[in-house]
Amino acid sequence: MTRPSMPVPPVPALIVGGGPAGAAAAITLARAGVSAHLVDRHDGPHDGVCGGFLGWDALAILRDLGLDVAVLGARPIGRLRLLVGERAIELALPHQAAGLSRRVLDEALIALAGDAGAVLLRGRAVRAADPAGRSVRFDDGEELAGGTLFLATGKHELRGLARDLGGRKEVPSVGLRAVLPAHAARSRDLTGMIELHLFDRGYAGLLLQEDGTSNLCLSVARERMSDGVPALMAEIMAEAPRLADRLGGAIPAQWEAVAGVPYGWRAAETVPGIFRIGDQGAVIASLAGDGIAIALSSGVSAAQAWLGGGAEAAVDWQRQMHQRNRRPIGMAEALRHGAAGALGRGMMMQLLHWMPGLGAQAALLTRISAPRTGGRKSGARSAHDPG
Ligand SMILES: Cc1cc2nc3c(=O)[nH]c(=O)nc-3n(C[C@H](O)[C@H](O)[C@H](O)COP(=O)(O)OP(=O)(O)OC[C@H]3O[C@@H](n4cnc5c(N)ncnc54)[C@H](O)[C@@H]3O)c2cc1C
């Protein structure tokens, strides 16, 4: 005779999504002795649509969490090369940044969470959430409830807890990513550099990854995608000849894509017991390269708020995050809209030509101020330490 399955009692902290936001929350909670459950639909290393640029604020949080990205092979970045058509300007970044694939970064963070004692539920896709019961239902029908739910599904909406995007006038953008093979001239030109190629209603970012390949990531207005990626890339390469040179005139065959990126969106509120972290709480324009920092920072600070005030702390914490992200996200939106049209791009290049210091100012203003994690200190100073 088969026994009826017993309902699984709620776990104290249930984190859905094992990207930087979810992993940072899991590490912080587990190090404080909480039984944190971290769920991710992937069962092993994977990439995602992301430029892989780690700003100095992200590096500071990673270091506080005990992760030395230099050991993971991250490539130091000290300069930005901005390109519009045939024009190029090079600027020094105000602090040292780095380039690292998300495959390596996310895996290292999840490993830290596991080492700290978090329960890892990998290869488990959540199909839907029930906000009232703070529970989730997996693809296989199993259910799991949490005393508190940390929603960290990033770019992906979860049925039952989707972001409230009503009222947004702008059609969300599309993100694309391809890997370019190791290539001597490209490696030489990209060493120490992040390259941003601006074009009509979008941009492409290019940097070196730990294994010598280059990460090519694009963000583009969805209406430009109507004829598919090859047609879009052919148009972009005509607008951005220096990008076409980087690609050797050939369009990469394999792309990862994500649709519906609502840049500028911030969660204004939540209910007790549900923390919206990372891209589920705020989406900074990817051009600014600060999404990972916001994800890490929100994961750490949500966990700290929960440790201090429990499930009820979610409401105040979400309001504070909304406020705290106003300046960097607003600044990034101004840059994104400014760079979308030919006139704005031309003015931006001219201004930077006259006053290169403005580039560093813009980079500083699109950064969040990182919270202290209060977690384990790594001891070792990284080659990427900002100061
Ligand atoms: C084109 C583009 C380029 C970018 N470039 C940069 C950059 O260079 N630097 C930077 O700092 N930021 C960049 N960003 C932003 C950055 O990628 C995000 O802000 C960051 O990844 C958010 O982290 P997260 O943890 O919230 O979500 P994610 O990194 O998206 O992670 C979410 C996790 O949740 C899991 N998941 C999703 N749904 C489910 C489900 N139903 N069940 C179980 N698991 C689930 C996924 O597998 C994933 O592991 C870029 C964004 C775009 C669109």
Side-chain angles (χ1 to χ4, degrees):
M1 202 174 82
T2 53
R3 283 190 303 167
S5 61
M6 297 287 288
V8 181
V11 299
L14 178 55
I15 305 159
V16 186
I27 294 166
T28 309
L29 291 169
R31 285 187 184 156
V34 176
S35 171
H37 284 57
L38 179 65
V39 180
D40 199 277
R41 60 189 178 150
H42 293 281
D43 61 3
H46 63 99
D47 278 304
V49 178
C50 184
F53 175 81
L54 294 169
W56 45 96
D57 46 356
L59 293 177
I61 304 171
L62 290 170
R63 195 177 56 243
D64 275 0
L65 287 171
L67 205 63
D68 183 346
V69 295
V71 171
L72 300 176
R75 303 286 181 124
I77 295 177
R79 296 183 73 74
L80 161 69
R81 187 180 292 129
L82 204 56
L83 301 106
V84 174
E86 292 286 3
R87 289 186 73 180
I89 283 188
E90 268 190 42
L91 306 163
L93 293 175
H95 301 285
Q96 185 130 104
L100 185 67
S101 72
R102 287 294 301 273
R103 161 183 295 269
V104 169
L105 175 69
D106 290 18
E107 204 55 27
L109 284 166
I110 289 177
L112 278 188
D115 291 349
V119 179
L120 305 181
L121 303 174
R122 304 188 74 183
R124 304 290 310 273
V126 171
R127 182 179 289 255
D130 167 19
R134 296 174 196 166
S135 63
V136 299
R137 194 171 69 254
F138 293 98
D139 260 0
D140 58 11
E142 194 194 330
E143 296 198 359
L144 186 60
T148 294
L149 216 54
F150 292 82
L151 187 64
T153 54
K155 301 162 181 80
H156 305 278
E157 306 297 0
L158 192 56
R159 202 185 327 147
L161 269 175
R163 292 173 289 194
D164 177 11
L165 304 178
R168 278 178 65 85
K169 295 196 182 71
E170 186 185 339
V171 179
S173 300
V174 173
L176 294 167
R177 175 181 180 271
V179 177
L180 308 182
H183 178 274
R186 199 161 44 221
S187 292
R188 186 197 58 223
D189 291 350
L190 290 177
T191 295
M193 190 73 72
I194 165 94
E195 236 178 47
L196 295 181
H197 299 257
L198 307 182
F199 48 77
D200 181 29
R201 287 166 289 163
Y203 80 96
L206 202 53
L207 55 70
L208 277 181
Q209 305 193 120
E210 64 283 352
D211 60 359
T213 61
S214 301
N215 186 341
L216 170 66
C217 206
L218 286 86
S219 173
V220 65
R222 196 198 285 171
E223 64 267 20
R224 289 205 64 180
M225 275 286 287
S226 48
D227 294 327
V229 177
L232 170 72
M233 282 307 295
E235 280 178 27
I236 290 174
M237 284 158 71
E239 290 169 43
R242 304 283 296 271
L243 177 62
D245 291 347
R246 287 276 179 261
L247 297 176
I251 298 172
Q254 296 222 319
W255 293 89
E256 285 181 86
V258 61
V261 186
Y263 292 132
W265 180 83
R266 288 177 292 150
E269 55 189 28
T270 187
V271 293
I274 298 182
F275 289 82
R276 288 187 165 274
I277 58 180
D279 276 5
Q280 284 292 315
V283 186
I284 192 165
S286 54
L287 182 72
D290 212 38
I292 297 171
I294 291 181
L296 292 165
S297 158
S298 61
V300 169
S301 76
Q304 288 171 340
W306 186 86
L307 290 168
E312 300 298 316
V315 174
D316 277 352
W317 176 85
Q318 202 79 53
R319 273 197 215 112
Q320 284 159 16
M321 282 312 278
H322 183 258
Q323 188 56 31
R324 187 169 160 225
N325 288 326
R326 178 198 296 266
R327 195 248 308 129
I329 288 186
M331 185 68 199
E333 282 297 278
L335 287 175
R336 181 172 73 89
H337 288 295
L343 187 64
R345 287 194 295 279
M347 280 170 54
M348 195 183 281
M349 292 300 270
Q350 199 53 51
L351 272 173
L352 288 171
H353 177 71
W354 286 329
M355 290 178 279
L358 282 180
Q361 273 306 315
L364 287 169
L365 288 169
T366 50
R367 303 290 121 186
I368 48 138
S369 49
R372 302 306 298 181
T373 66
R376 202 181 65 125
K377 299 288 178 286
S378 64
R381 298 278 289 175
S382 151
H384 304 310
D385 281 356

